[in-house]
Short mmCIF file of all heavy atoms in Angstrom, two decimals:
data_model
loop_
_atom_site.label_atom_id
_atom_site.label_comp_id
_atom_site.label_asym_id
_atom_site.label_seq_id
_atom_site.Cartn_x
_atom_site.Cartn_y
_atom_site.Cartn_z
N ASP A 29 -21.99 5.20 -10.86
CA ASP A 29 -21.99 5.21 -12.32
C ASP A 29 -21.28 6.43 -12.86
O ASP A 29 -20.64 6.36 -13.93
CB ASP A 29 -23.43 5.15 -12.84
CG ASP A 29 -24.14 3.86 -12.45
OD1 ASP A 29 -23.44 2.84 -12.32
OD2 ASP A 29 -25.38 3.86 -12.30
N ASP A 30 -21.41 7.53 -12.16
CA ASP A 30 -20.73 8.75 -12.57
C ASP A 30 -19.25 8.73 -12.19
O ASP A 30 -18.42 9.38 -12.85
CB ASP A 30 -21.41 9.99 -11.96
CG ASP A 30 -22.87 10.07 -12.34
OD1 ASP A 30 -23.21 9.72 -13.46
OD2 ASP A 30 -23.65 10.47 -11.46
N LEU A 31 -18.92 8.07 -11.11
CA LEU A 31 -17.57 8.00 -10.63
C LEU A 31 -17.21 6.52 -10.41
O LEU A 31 -17.12 6.04 -9.27
CB LEU A 31 -17.43 8.77 -9.30
CG LEU A 31 -17.66 10.27 -9.35
CD1 LEU A 31 -17.75 10.85 -7.97
CD2 LEU A 31 -16.51 10.96 -10.10
N PRO A 32 -17.02 5.78 -11.49
CA PRO A 32 -16.77 4.34 -11.34
C PRO A 32 -15.53 4.01 -10.51
O PRO A 32 -15.49 2.95 -9.92
CB PRO A 32 -16.64 3.86 -12.82
CG PRO A 32 -16.27 5.10 -13.57
CD PRO A 32 -16.97 6.24 -12.92
N GLU A 33 -14.59 4.93 -10.48
CA GLU A 33 -13.38 4.65 -9.72
C GLU A 33 -13.57 4.91 -8.21
O GLU A 33 -12.72 4.61 -7.39
CB GLU A 33 -12.20 5.45 -10.25
CG GLU A 33 -12.13 6.92 -9.79
CD GLU A 33 -13.24 7.80 -10.32
OE1 GLU A 33 -13.95 7.39 -11.27
OE2 GLU A 33 -13.40 8.92 -9.82
N GLN A 34 -14.73 5.58 -7.88
CA GLN A 34 -15.05 5.82 -6.47
C GLN A 34 -13.94 6.57 -5.70
O GLN A 34 -13.72 6.36 -4.53
CB GLN A 34 -15.32 4.47 -5.77
CG GLN A 34 -16.59 3.76 -6.14
CD GLN A 34 -17.76 4.19 -5.31
OE1 GLN A 34 -17.66 4.42 -4.10
NE2 GLN A 34 -18.92 4.26 -5.94
N HIS A 35 -13.24 7.52 -6.40
CA HIS A 35 -12.12 8.20 -5.78
C HIS A 35 -11.11 7.19 -5.24
O HIS A 35 -10.57 7.43 -4.12
CB HIS A 35 -12.60 9.16 -4.68
CG HIS A 35 -13.46 10.29 -5.21
ND1 HIS A 35 -12.93 11.40 -5.83
CD2 HIS A 35 -14.79 10.46 -5.20
CE1 HIS A 35 -13.90 12.23 -6.16
NE2 HIS A 35 -15.04 11.68 -5.83
N ARG A 36 -10.88 6.18 -5.99
CA ARG A 36 -10.04 5.08 -5.53
C ARG A 36 -8.66 5.53 -5.07
O ARG A 36 -8.18 5.13 -4.01
CB ARG A 36 -9.89 4.07 -6.72
CG ARG A 36 -8.94 2.90 -6.44
CD ARG A 36 -8.73 2.10 -7.71
NE ARG A 36 -8.14 2.93 -8.75
CZ ARG A 36 -8.66 3.12 -9.96
NH1 ARG A 36 -9.79 2.52 -10.29
NH2 ARG A 36 -8.04 3.89 -10.85
N ASP A 37 -7.99 6.35 -5.85
CA ASP A 37 -6.62 6.74 -5.49
C ASP A 37 -6.58 7.52 -4.15
O ASP A 37 -5.66 7.32 -3.36
CB ASP A 37 -6.02 7.63 -6.61
CG ASP A 37 -5.77 6.83 -7.86
OD1 ASP A 37 -5.75 5.57 -7.78
OD2 ASP A 37 -5.60 7.45 -8.95
N GLU A 38 -7.61 8.38 -3.92
CA GLU A 38 -7.66 9.11 -2.69
C GLU A 38 -7.90 8.15 -1.49
O GLU A 38 -7.35 8.34 -0.40
CB GLU A 38 -8.74 10.19 -2.76
CG GLU A 38 -8.90 11.00 -1.46
CD GLU A 38 -7.68 11.84 -1.09
OE1 GLU A 38 -6.81 12.05 -1.95
OE2 GLU A 38 -7.60 12.22 0.10
N ARG A 39 -8.75 7.18 -1.71
CA ARG A 39 -9.01 6.16 -0.67
C ARG A 39 -7.72 5.45 -0.29
O ARG A 39 -7.41 5.29 0.91
CB ARG A 39 -10.06 5.10 -1.15
CG ARG A 39 -11.42 5.68 -1.30
CD ARG A 39 -12.31 4.58 -1.94
NE ARG A 39 -13.62 5.12 -2.32
CZ ARG A 39 -14.72 5.07 -1.59
NH1 ARG A 39 -14.70 4.56 -0.40
NH2 ARG A 39 -15.86 5.60 -2.05
N PHE A 40 -6.99 5.01 -1.28
CA PHE A 40 -5.74 4.30 -1.02
C PHE A 40 -4.70 5.16 -0.37
O PHE A 40 -3.97 4.73 0.54
CB PHE A 40 -5.18 3.66 -2.29
CG PHE A 40 -6.06 2.56 -2.86
CD1 PHE A 40 -5.97 2.23 -4.19
CD2 PHE A 40 -6.96 1.85 -2.04
CE1 PHE A 40 -6.80 1.21 -4.73
CE2 PHE A 40 -7.74 0.86 -2.57
CZ PHE A 40 -7.67 0.54 -3.91
N LYS A 41 -4.62 6.45 -0.81
CA LYS A 41 -3.69 7.39 -0.22
C LYS A 41 -3.97 7.58 1.27
O LYS A 41 -3.07 7.52 2.10
CB LYS A 41 -3.75 8.70 -0.98
CG LYS A 41 -2.85 9.80 -0.42
CD LYS A 41 -2.99 11.06 -1.26
CE LYS A 41 -2.11 12.18 -0.69
NZ LYS A 41 -2.60 12.66 0.63
N ARG A 42 -5.25 7.78 1.60
CA ARG A 42 -5.63 7.99 3.00
C ARG A 42 -5.38 6.74 3.81
O ARG A 42 -4.86 6.81 4.95
CB ARG A 42 -7.11 8.40 3.08
CG ARG A 42 -7.43 9.77 2.51
CD ARG A 42 -8.84 10.18 2.79
NE ARG A 42 -9.18 11.46 2.22
CZ ARG A 42 -10.30 12.13 2.48
NH1 ARG A 42 -11.17 11.65 3.36
NH2 ARG A 42 -10.54 13.30 1.92
N THR A 43 -5.79 5.60 3.28
CA THR A 43 -5.65 4.35 4.04
C THR A 43 -4.17 4.04 4.29
O THR A 43 -3.79 3.53 5.32
CB THR A 43 -6.32 3.20 3.29
OG1 THR A 43 -7.65 3.54 3.00
CG2 THR A 43 -6.32 1.91 4.18
N ARG A 44 -3.32 4.34 3.32
CA ARG A 44 -1.89 4.11 3.47
C ARG A 44 -1.37 5.00 4.61
O ARG A 44 -0.54 4.52 5.43
CB ARG A 44 -1.19 4.47 2.16
CG ARG A 44 0.27 3.99 2.11
CD ARG A 44 0.88 4.24 0.73
NE ARG A 44 0.19 3.46 -0.30
CZ ARG A 44 -0.58 3.96 -1.27
NH1 ARG A 44 -0.76 5.31 -1.36
NH2 ARG A 44 -1.14 3.19 -2.14
N ASP A 45 -1.81 6.24 4.68
CA ASP A 45 -1.41 7.13 5.76
C ASP A 45 -1.89 6.64 7.10
O ASP A 45 -1.17 6.66 8.10
CB ASP A 45 -1.93 8.54 5.51
CG ASP A 45 -1.43 9.54 6.55
OD1 ASP A 45 -0.24 9.89 6.48
OD2 ASP A 45 -2.22 9.96 7.41
N ILE A 46 -3.15 6.18 7.17
CA ILE A 46 -3.72 5.63 8.38
C ILE A 46 -2.90 4.42 8.87
O ILE A 46 -2.48 4.33 10.02
CB ILE A 46 -5.16 5.16 8.17
CG1 ILE A 46 -6.08 6.38 7.90
CG2 ILE A 46 -5.69 4.37 9.38
CD1 ILE A 46 -7.45 6.00 7.34
N LYS A 47 -2.61 3.53 7.97
CA LYS A 47 -1.82 2.34 8.31
C LYS A 47 -0.40 2.73 8.79
O LYS A 47 0.08 2.17 9.81
CB LYS A 47 -1.68 1.42 7.08
CG LYS A 47 -0.86 0.13 7.36
CD LYS A 47 -0.77 -0.72 6.11
CE LYS A 47 0.02 -1.98 6.40
NZ LYS A 47 1.41 -1.75 6.87
N ASN A 48 0.21 3.67 8.16
CA ASN A 48 1.55 4.09 8.57
C ASN A 48 1.55 4.67 9.99
O ASN A 48 2.46 4.44 10.81
CB ASN A 48 2.12 5.15 7.63
CG ASN A 48 2.50 4.56 6.27
OD1 ASN A 48 2.69 3.35 6.15
ND2 ASN A 48 2.62 5.38 5.25
N ARG A 49 0.48 5.44 10.32
CA ARG A 49 0.36 6.01 11.67
C ARG A 49 0.25 4.89 12.71
O ARG A 49 0.89 4.94 13.76
CB ARG A 49 -0.86 6.93 11.76
CG ARG A 49 -0.78 8.21 10.97
CD ARG A 49 -0.14 9.35 11.73
NE ARG A 49 -0.78 9.60 12.99
CZ ARG A 49 -1.88 10.33 13.19
NH1 ARG A 49 -2.47 10.87 12.13
NH2 ARG A 49 -2.33 10.51 14.40
N PHE A 50 -0.55 3.91 12.43
CA PHE A 50 -0.73 2.79 13.37
C PHE A 50 0.52 1.92 13.41
O PHE A 50 0.89 1.42 14.46
CB PHE A 50 -1.94 1.96 13.02
CG PHE A 50 -3.25 2.54 13.50
CD1 PHE A 50 -4.17 3.07 12.62
CD2 PHE A 50 -3.56 2.58 14.85
CE1 PHE A 50 -5.35 3.62 13.07
CE2 PHE A 50 -4.75 3.12 15.32
CZ PHE A 50 -5.67 3.65 14.43
N ASP A 51 1.15 1.69 12.25
CA ASP A 51 2.42 0.95 12.23
C ASP A 51 3.45 1.58 13.14
O ASP A 51 4.15 0.89 13.90
CB ASP A 51 2.97 0.91 10.82
CG ASP A 51 2.23 -0.09 9.91
OD1 ASP A 51 1.40 -0.89 10.43
OD2 ASP A 51 2.44 -0.04 8.70
N ASP A 52 3.55 2.90 13.08
CA ASP A 52 4.51 3.60 13.93
C ASP A 52 4.24 3.40 15.42
O ASP A 52 5.16 3.43 16.25
CB ASP A 52 4.52 5.09 13.60
CG ASP A 52 5.09 5.44 12.25
OD1 ASP A 52 5.80 4.56 11.70
OD2 ASP A 52 4.87 6.54 11.74
N ALA A 53 2.96 3.15 15.73
CA ALA A 53 2.55 2.92 17.12
C ALA A 53 2.55 1.44 17.47
O ALA A 53 2.14 1.08 18.56
CB ALA A 53 1.17 3.51 17.37
N GLU A 54 3.03 0.61 16.52
CA GLU A 54 3.12 -0.85 16.70
C GLU A 54 1.71 -1.48 16.94
O GLU A 54 1.54 -2.36 17.77
CB GLU A 54 4.08 -1.22 17.84
CG GLU A 54 5.51 -0.76 17.55
CD GLU A 54 6.49 -1.23 18.62
OE1 GLU A 54 6.08 -1.48 19.76
OE2 GLU A 54 7.70 -1.29 18.28
N ILE A 55 0.75 -0.94 16.20
CA ILE A 55 -0.63 -1.45 16.24
C ILE A 55 -0.95 -2.00 14.85
O ILE A 55 -0.69 -1.38 13.83
CB ILE A 55 -1.65 -0.35 16.60
CG1 ILE A 55 -1.41 0.11 18.05
CG2 ILE A 55 -3.08 -0.84 16.43
CD1 ILE A 55 -2.22 1.33 18.46
N THR A 56 -1.54 -3.22 14.80
CA THR A 56 -1.87 -3.90 13.51
C THR A 56 -3.20 -3.42 13.02
O THR A 56 -4.21 -3.49 13.72
CB THR A 56 -1.91 -5.40 13.72
OG1 THR A 56 -0.63 -5.88 14.14
CG2 THR A 56 -2.27 -6.10 12.44
N VAL A 57 -3.21 -2.90 11.80
CA VAL A 57 -4.42 -2.51 11.13
C VAL A 57 -5.01 -3.68 10.40
O VAL A 57 -4.32 -4.39 9.69
CB VAL A 57 -4.16 -1.34 10.13
CG1 VAL A 57 -5.33 -1.16 9.20
CG2 VAL A 57 -3.80 -0.08 10.85
N VAL A 58 -6.33 -3.93 10.59
CA VAL A 58 -7.01 -4.94 9.84
C VAL A 58 -8.19 -4.31 9.09
O VAL A 58 -9.01 -3.58 9.66
CB VAL A 58 -7.49 -6.13 10.74
CG1 VAL A 58 -6.34 -6.90 11.24
CG2 VAL A 58 -8.38 -5.62 11.89
#
């Protein structure tokens, strides 16, 4: 209720970086 966005942008930024790391290793992120 205090943070309705749930630090959304930071979550997406981190997840994008995680996916890119696995993509580079030719591993599919689900």
